Amino acid sequence: MKILSNVFLNQKKLTVTNKKIATMLIAMFAVHAAASNAACNGYVGITFDDGPTSNTTTLINLLKQNSLTPVTWFNWGQHVASNPSLIPQELGVGEVQNHSYTHPHMANFTYQQVSSELSQDNQAIQNAGAPKPKIYRAPYGELNSTIRQAAADLGLFAMTWDIDSADWNGASTAAIVSANNQLQNGQVILMHDGIINTNNAIAQIAANLRAKNLCPGRIDPTNGRAIAPSGSGGSSSSSSSGGGGTGTITVRARGTSGQEQIQLVVNNTTVATWTLSTSYQNFTVNNSATSGILVKFINDATNRDVQVDYIIAGGVTKQAEDQTFNTGVFQSGACGGGNGHSEWLNCNGAIGF
Ligand SMILES: [Zn+2]
């Protein structure tokens, strides 16, 4: 469907001079964003298993140098017990989580055996000064109902990964970089602490993610998905290098075809453009605005419609169907023809929050 929303009319009224200034401002903002991590199209989970090791300090320095933080460490309990002083260093660049105490194959373990492995690792990690783990990554990716139950009873979400870098299996630095390049918003990659090819991949992984405005995130302990760093991770990890922290805007939306594009416009400035999939996804940027926020559908065509579930701005959830400003929903025979109160954008137009 076709309609010129008020937003578009306003844009057309811009003079050439104003457009140039606007372009310059956007370019300046982009430079700032690249430097400070201000704009994130999404978050990915950068994870390292099996540490701490004699390599941990080197790896942490590489992560810091390349601003590839925060990361998640899935620590091997025996290694924690022999290197407890490395845990505070790990906490300085991320979160420390559970990867079992002796790293055994557990598919045939009893509930008690699994529980013992996981609780011993929790104890070693906490003894070294880290908060109680909330996530368990299964060695070898071996999960079953017994393992999941034992983990859940210890307050641990059991997970594996979305993408395996295969660094444990001799993958080249280029292959590790390439695996990381497949990461999409919310996904988590498996890497390891103690592998030289992984160390050598860090700079390029960071550069590639930055080019796509994908930011390292923490892992949500309720579902194993990568999300924005909260800045409230652990007692020792007071600094979140993700920037912002409290000031984020999250948009939850999907499209009917998976080709729909939306933009987040804050106080008349476009701060992000996202392509939707047919399933709901959360898109997050670092921005402290709590009003003057538009979610705008920009590429309407046959069979394309956008459904916006809600946004979260300044920590407050605002449902799309509670908003009266909606120039993109088809109501009363026209785009934006009614009083809003809809999750839908059937035409190019915006929901105002
Ligand atoms: Zn492992």
Side-chain angles (χ1 to χ4, degrees), residues 55 173 194-201:
N55 177 68
T173 296
I195 295 178
I196 189 73
N197 285 352
T198 303
N199 289 0
N200 291 338

Side-chain angles (χ1 to χ4, degrees), residues 50 140 161 164-171 176 190-192 195 198:
D50 295 358
Y140 317 103
W161 50 82
D164 179 2
S165 71
D167 62 347
W168 55 273
N169 199 24
I176 296 166
L190 171 69
M191 292 188 283
H192 292 80
I195 295 178
T198 303

Side-chain angles (χ1 to χ4, degrees), residues 43-47 72 74 134-137 148 156-163 183-189 217-227:
Y43 293 92
V44 296
I46 304 296
T47 73
T72 303
F74 287 102
K134 292 180 176 171
I135 307 171
Y136 166 65
R137 170 175 279 159
R148 286 184 195 278
L156 295 162
F157 178 82
M159 65 179 286
T160 56
W161 50 82
D162 296 300
I163 297 170
L183 281 169
Q184 300 190 356
N185 181 34
Q187 290 190 323
V188 174
I189 189 156
R218 69 189 178 99
I219 298 176
D220 186 337
T222 66
N223 60 16
R225 305 283 293 166
I227 55 172

Side-chain angles (χ1 to χ4, degrees), residues 145-159:
S145 57
T146 303
I147 296 171
R148 286 184 195 278
Q149 189 60 53
D153 291 346
L154 290 167
L156 295 162
F157 178 82
M159 65 179 286

Side-chain angles (χ1 to χ4, degrees), residues 72-77 80 87 90-91 95-101 117-137 150-158 219-222 233-235:
T72 303
W73 306 94
F74 287 102
N75 279 357
W76 181 326
V80 177
I87 305 309
E90 291 183 332
L91 290 170
E95 294 185 347
V96 171
Q97 302 288 3
N98 191 310
H99 192 46
S100 82
Y101 194 76
E117 272 290 333
L118 274 52
S119 59
Q120 281 188 79
D121 195 17
N122 270 2
Q123 200 55 57
I125 288 168
Q126 289 176 267
N127 287 348
K132 187 180 179 194
K134 292 180 176 171
I135 307 171
Y136 166 65
R137 170 175 279 159
D153 291 346
L154 290 167
L156 295 162
F157 178 82
I219 298 176
D220 186 337
T222 66
S235 55

Side-chain angles (χ1 to χ4, degrees), residues 252-254 277-283 307-310 343:
R252 183 167 178 79
R254 69 176 196 97
S277 70
T278 55
S279 308
Y280 272 124
Q281 280 180 277
N282 289 351
F283 302 89
Q307 188 173 17
V308 180
D309 191 356
Y310 55 76
E343 296 188 333

